[in-house]
């Protein structure tokens, strides 16, 4: 009954857990509302998300633990705890963890569609399409 109710309400919990495991670490959906979603990304030491872009959303990244290597278009820079950056819609981007411990990023996604199938992977260390 619970699964049927979640499905009828259009909730994502009926299809996937709040914390999702990826080859590079995990992301956890912390909350959201109309047109926005908040996630906690935990990127393992030496790991990276795919080089990607999105058609329907922008992203705001706030580093809360560790230091990130950030690539946005042709620019590369580091992002340390208590620093933030912005990724506009359609912009090529990647987060990497060059450190020895976990990297934690709070990601705020804003857009008219926030589904995971909006990820357009351009390069991926884990051979995902």
């Amino acid at each position: 009954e619970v699964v049927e109710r979640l499905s009828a309400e259009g909730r994502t919990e009926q299809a996937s857990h709040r914390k999702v495991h990826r080859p590079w670490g995990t992301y956890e959906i912390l909350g959201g509302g109309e047109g926005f979603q908040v996630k906690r990304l935990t990127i393992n030491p030496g790991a990276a998300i795919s080089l990607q872009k999105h058609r329907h959303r922008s992203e705001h990244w706030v580093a809360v633990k560790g230091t990130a290597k950030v690539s946005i278009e042709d620019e590369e820079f580091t992002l340390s705890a208590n620093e933030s950056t912005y990724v506009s819609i359609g912009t090529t981007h990647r987060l990497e963890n060059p450190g020895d411990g976990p990297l934690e990023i709070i990601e705020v996604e804003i857009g008219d569609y926030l589904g995971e199938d909006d990820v357009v992977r351009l390069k991926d260390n884990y051979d995902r399409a």
Side-chain angles (χ1 to χ4, degrees), residues 69-129:
K69 178 180 173 186
V70 177
S71 301
I72 299 177
E73 292 294 332
D74 296 327
E75 184 182 0
E76 286 189 356
F77 57 93
T78 59
L79 196 64
S80 298
N82 200 31
E83 295 179 338
S84 64
T85 194
Y86 169 72
V87 180
S88 60
I89 294 174
T91 303
T92 301
H93 61 279
R94 172 180 262 170
L95 275 172
E96 299 178 51
N97 180 359
D100 295 333
L103 167 65
E104 289 189 19
I105 300 285
I106 299 299
E107 177 179 87
V108 179
E109 303 171 352
I110 299 175
D112 59 8
Y113 179 73
L114 304 171
E116 285 303 304
D117 57 349
D118 185 39
V119 175
V120 178
R121 287 190 181 93
L122 305 169
K123 289 184 185 174
D124 186 67
N125 297 350
Y126 314 102
D127 296 323
R128 296 174 296 166

